[in-house]
């Protein structure tokens, strides 16, 4: 079974802190994604990566950065956490190809910024 | 950003009935369409995908696509309490997917 593992299920941080969310996949997938999910807004893409050391901005990249030093690991960084970044963060991966018909999601990290 | 709109819900249906979920999308060039199911507190999981106009059936689920009308739907026949979840419509956008906000379905026993 494909496994996408997110390092924390729940995280509480203070405003202004630098926050790292880690994601690891074990299926040698080329593509990895970070989404955030908010009630009534669905999943919104923050960043994605289609290869090691490659990254592309999604629809809402402001206030975030990413790192992909190894194929299996994709990290989301909140440079200076703010309360409006309180959300559920979902990491996903998929094999190469233009149509990502199957995204494999991690179990999510519920981040609260106080 | 490609727009993906779903009927707002929540949708409540009696057990055994048909649940009908609708989704429209803004980009006429979109080629691939997906339905994900998300149980409360869980991650989304793919249940259907469709590429061609018409119907595609998989068990109790039927996806319908009309590219001319930029419309995709999901029918759940013989709805069961285990179908109670949020259903997310997604449309391909090059290497990534754009998701709708989701429709929450509750199946009443």
């Amino acid at each position: 079974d494909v496994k996408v593992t997110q390092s924390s299920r729940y995280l509480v941080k203070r405003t202004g802190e630098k926050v790292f969310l880690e994601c690891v996949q074990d299926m040698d997938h080329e593509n990895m994604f970070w989404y955030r999910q908010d009630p009534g807004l669905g999943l919104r893409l923050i960043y994605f990566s289609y290869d090691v050391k490659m990254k592309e901005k999604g629809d809402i990249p402001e206030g975030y950065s990413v790192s992909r030093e190894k194929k299996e690991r994709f990290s989301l960084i909140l440079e200076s956490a703010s309360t409006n970044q309180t959300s559920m963060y979902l990491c996903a991966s998929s094999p190469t190809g233009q149509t990502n018909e199957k995204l494999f999601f991690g179990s999510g990290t519920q981040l609260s910024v106080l | 950003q490609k727009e993906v709109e779903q009927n707002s819900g929540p949708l409540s249906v009696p057990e055994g009935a048909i649940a009908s979920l609708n989704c429209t999308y803004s980009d006429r060039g979109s080629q691939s369409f997906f339905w994900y199911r998300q149980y409360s507190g869980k991650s989304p999981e793919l249940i259907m995908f469709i590429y061609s106009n018409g119907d595609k059936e998989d068990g109790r689920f039927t996806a319908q696509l009309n590219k001319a009308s930029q419309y995709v739907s999901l029918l759940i026949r013989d709805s069961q309490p285990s179908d109670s979840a949020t259903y997310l419509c997604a449309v391909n956008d090059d290497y990534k997917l754009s998701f709708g906000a989701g429709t929450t379905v509750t199946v009443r026993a």
Side-chain angles (χ1 to χ4, degrees), chain B residues 70-103:
Chain B
Q70 296 177 235
Y71 174 94
V72 59
S73 66
L74 180 71
L75 300 178
I76 308 173
R77 293 185 304 281
D78 187 24
S79 295
Q80 301 296 309
S82 61
D83 295 324
S84 296
T86 296
Y87 291 81
L88 302 167
C89 174
V91 176
N92 83 292
D93 178 6
D94 292 331
Y95 286 93
K96 55 194 189 295
L97 294 182
S98 293
F99 285 84
T103 300

Side-chain angles (χ1 to χ4, degrees), chain A residues 12-62:
Chain A
V12 179
K13 296 293 181 181
R14 297 283 182 192
T15 302
E17 279 192 76
K18 190 169 186 176
V19 182
F20 293 85
L21 302 183
E22 305 288 345
C23 176
V24 177
Q25 51 95 4
D26 66 358
M27 278 303 290
D28 202 35
H29 285 170
E30 284 75 15
N31 304 320
M32 295 190 75
F33 308 83
W34 275 106
Y35 286 89
R36 65 177 280 178
Q37 186 171 30
D38 302 286
L41 296 177
L43 275 74
R44 293 180 292 166
L45 183 64
I46 305 170
Y47 267 96
F48 67 103
S49 169
Y50 53 87
D51 202 353
V52 177
K53 296 192 185 295
M54 303 299 291
K55 60 185 179 185
E56 294 282 343
K57 292 181 180 179
D59 300 316
I60 51 164
E62 296 78 19

Side-chain angles (χ1 to χ4, degrees), chain B residues 13-71:
Chain B
V13 299
E15 187 172 356
I18 295 175
S20 177
L21 307 172
N22 302 318
C23 175
T24 58
Y25 58 95
S26 62
D27 187 348
R28 190 169 288 277
S30 296
Q31 297 293 317
S32 308
F33 308 87
F34 312 93
W35 285 99
Y36 281 77
R37 178 178 62 199
Q38 186 175 24
Y39 291 115
S40 180
K42 301 293 186 182
S43 299
E45 57 178 338
L46 181 69
I47 55 171
M48 291 285 290
F49 61 89
I50 186 166
Y51 302 145
S52 304
N53 277 329
D55 294 359
K56 180 181 178 182
E57 191 173 312
D58 184 0
R60 295 185 295 107
F61 297 98
T62 300
Q64 299 174 317
L65 175 61
N66 183 326
K67 289 186 178 180
S69 300
Q70 296 177 235
Y71 174 94

